[in-house]
Amino acid sequence: MMRWILIAVFWVLLVGGALVYQEGRERSLVGAGYVAKELCSCVFVGGRELASCRPDIPPSMERVRADLGADRVRAYVPYFAERIARFEPPFGCVLY
Amino acid sequence: MRRRLVLLPLALWLLGAALLPTQPAGVPWPTERWAEGPPAGEVDRAALQAAGDALFAPVGRGGLPDTRALLAVQGGRLVWQRFADGFGADSPFRSWSMAKSVTNALAGLLVRDGKLALDAPAPVPRWQRAGDPRRALTLRHLLTMTSGLDNADGGDGAGSYVARILFGDLASDTARGAEQAELDHEPGTHWAYSTATSQIVSAIVARTVGGGREGVDAFVTRELRAPLGLRTLVLEFDPAGTPLGGGYVWASAADWARLGLLYLRDGVWDGRRILPEGWVDFTRNVAPAENNGTYGAHFWVSAKPAEDQFQTLRPGIEAFQMNGNAGQYVVIAPDRDLVVVRLGEMHATSWAQLNDRLGAFIQAFPQQAGAAR
């Protein structure tokens, strides 16, 4: 009996964990996309410093990290999502 | 379509809307540079200064004022401008949804040239299969946000249509993502604000112009940047080459004011008709729909909002405007011969505060007998 209970708990945890991960991944993809696009455009089109742009990102996206490259911004949530926005003048920043 | 555009000024006059004022004699068009001067007429200068100060007072994250740029053009002259530290006359500012109004201009240019028509079926290839009810949709439905498509901006943040279109799973090809929406209302009857719909219009513009993003950018240069002197205007694109006409255009405060002046002057610039006759009246006329009180055609109108609609400015101001997230405003007030541009953020400012303070700033300028009927 106990064995069947443990198997059921295992499957519940597995499926629940997968659903939670999927939900978190989808939200992280949007969040990383937002941060990559906003920061890329702010820096390369708006002509501002990254440190000036970052406070304009809503606090709800604080966990999204961002790296500034020569022509791009990489934004990511570790283990969940990564997005890149690339400056392609004269067309602004393109989110990939 | 032409008859409807021509009849609109008469309808607006009957409804009491101010006529669009022409550029005063002796005031040069700001294609190269703005004619500058102090506010003219019975301007309440103390109220103007106080309202300007109040707009710059809230300081948000990063230690910057929420208002980054505030500019007023009265009678075609630049009469007031102020920038937050670190920003200036050449600083480009992002539009958020004011991009929709630029999309209105691009569609208008193509209607002027006879390449698009307001009341013809919207040229969206995916909708042209026999039996597809979206074949009934027109450019007018799309521009007035009365398409009836199930693609409104609201809803859960990350899962909302607008988030998915601009940043999520639909961002790689915004047109494809937006065009997949199905009808959930009869076209022309129900209003729903939708960035996805603006992406559908943007894709129609891009396909009609042709040549990919290079073709669109060259078209914008030829038809808008060059004649108006818009030296800082940048349209951003998705990876598939569709302009992000629902949310991402950049321009300096002065260039946003030039775009506002184009609409204040009924689509005419320095003797040349840029937008077709009647287009601006179509744009600033509240679109008929059961739940719409404040939306024209990719522009907002200062009027009584329907339930759940955005209050764009405090009552008592007759204007139509470009509006964007975080408090972007290009207000066009014909009865004051006025364009006011406010750009920035809303970290420490509510919409009610911003509307009230911006309203006070606008109302410091007098209504002009020559501009209103």
Side-chain angles (χ1 to χ4, degrees), chain A residues 23 26-27 29-35 37-38 41-43 45-48 52 54-59 83 88 90-96, chain B residues 61-62 64 68 87 92 94 96 156 158-159 163-164 166-169 171-172 213-214 217 225 234-239 244 248 250 325 345 347:
Chain A
E23 171 73 8
E26 286 173 6
R27 288 183 174 276
L29 276 170
V30 171
Y34 182 100
V35 171
K37 177 75 179 76
E38 275 295 290
S41 295
C42 182
V43 169
V45 184
R48 294 166 59 189
S52 164
R54 184 75 211 210
D56 285 343
I57 302 292
R83 303 289 294 280
E88 299 177 7
F91 310 113
C93 282
V94 181
L95 176 63
Y96 293 97
Chain B
R61 302 186 299 272
L64 285 170
R68 310 280 166 82
F87 299 86
R94 70 157 143 47
W96 285 117
D156 170 49
R164 293 177 64 201
L166 291 180
F167 312 113
D169 60 311
S172 61
R213 60 184 189 176
E214 290 81 5
D217 202 62
R225 290 190 184 106
V234 173
L235 272 66
E236 298 193 275
F237 291 76
D238 73 12
L244 293 174
Y248 277 100
W250 290 72
N325 180 44
E345 296 291 334
H347 300 163

Side-chain angles (χ1 to χ4, degrees), chain A residues 41-75:
Chain A
S41 295
C42 182
V43 169
F44 293 108
V45 184
R48 294 166 59 189
E49 298 292 328
L50 185 66
S52 164
C53 295
R54 184 75 211 210
D56 285 343
I57 302 292
S60 60
M61 297 190 193
E62 271 177 357
R63 70 194 178 106
V64 181
R65 302 177 188 175
D67 298 332
L68 176 64
D71 65 348
R72 66 191 64 199
V73 169
R74 180 177 76 103

Side-chain angles (χ1 to χ4, degrees), chain B residues 93-137:
Chain B
F93 291 90
R94 70 157 143 47
S95 61
W96 285 117
S97 282
M98 294 199 303
K100 294 176 172 67
S101 302
V102 176
T103 300
N104 164 296
L106 301 183
L109 292 166
L110 294 168
V111 169
R112 178 201 66 190
D113 293 345
K115 295 178 178 172
L116 288 176
L118 271 179
D119 294 309
V124 177
R126 287 187 182 89
W127 296 347
Q128 302 312 313
R129 287 171 304 201
D132 191 325
R134 296 170 299 184
R135 292 172 72 179
L137 290 177

Side-chain angles (χ1 to χ4, degrees), chain B residues 2-178:
Chain B
R2 183 180 298 275
R3 181 183 299 169
R4 294 180 74 165
L5 285 177
V6 169
L7 288 175
L8 264 171
L10 175 63
L12 284 167
W13 184 82
L14 290 171
L15 289 169
L19 299 176
L20 296 165
T22 55
Q23 184 83 344
V27 178
W29 289 83
T31 313
E32 290 298 322
R33 65 184 63 82
W34 284 95
E36 296 189 35
E42 299 294 320
V43 173
D44 186 337
R45 290 168 194 272
L48 188 65
Q49 189 61 42
D53 290 345
L55 282 163
F56 277 87
V59 174
R61 302 186 299 272
L64 285 170
D66 273 359
T67 295
R68 310 280 166 82
L70 180 63
L71 185 151
V73 171
Q74 181 199 32
R77 293 181 195 274
L78 180 60
V79 298
W80 210 95
Q81 64 175 332
R82 179 173 164 185
F83 298 93
D85 286 347
F87 299 86
D90 297 324
S91 300
F93 291 90
R94 70 157 143 47
S95 61
W96 285 117
S97 282
M98 294 199 303
K100 294 176 172 67
S101 302
V102 176
T103 300
N104 164 296
L106 301 183
L109 292 166
L110 294 168
V111 169
R112 178 201 66 190
D113 293 345
K115 295 178 178 172
L116 288 176
L118 271 179
D119 294 309
V124 177
R126 287 187 182 89
W127 296 347
Q128 302 312 313
R129 287 171 304 201
D132 191 325
R134 296 170 299 184
R135 292 172 72 179
L137 290 177
T138 64
L139 185 60
R140 181 187 299 275
H141 293 140
L142 297 171
L143 285 170
T144 56
M145 300 289 186
T146 61
S147 67
L149 289 169
D150 181 17
N151 63 0
D153 272 10
D156 170 49
S160 67
Y161 222 117
V162 59
R164 293 177 64 201
I165 283 281
L166 291 180
F167 312 113
D169 60 311
L170 305 178
S172 61
D173 187 343
T174 58
R176 186 180 183 84

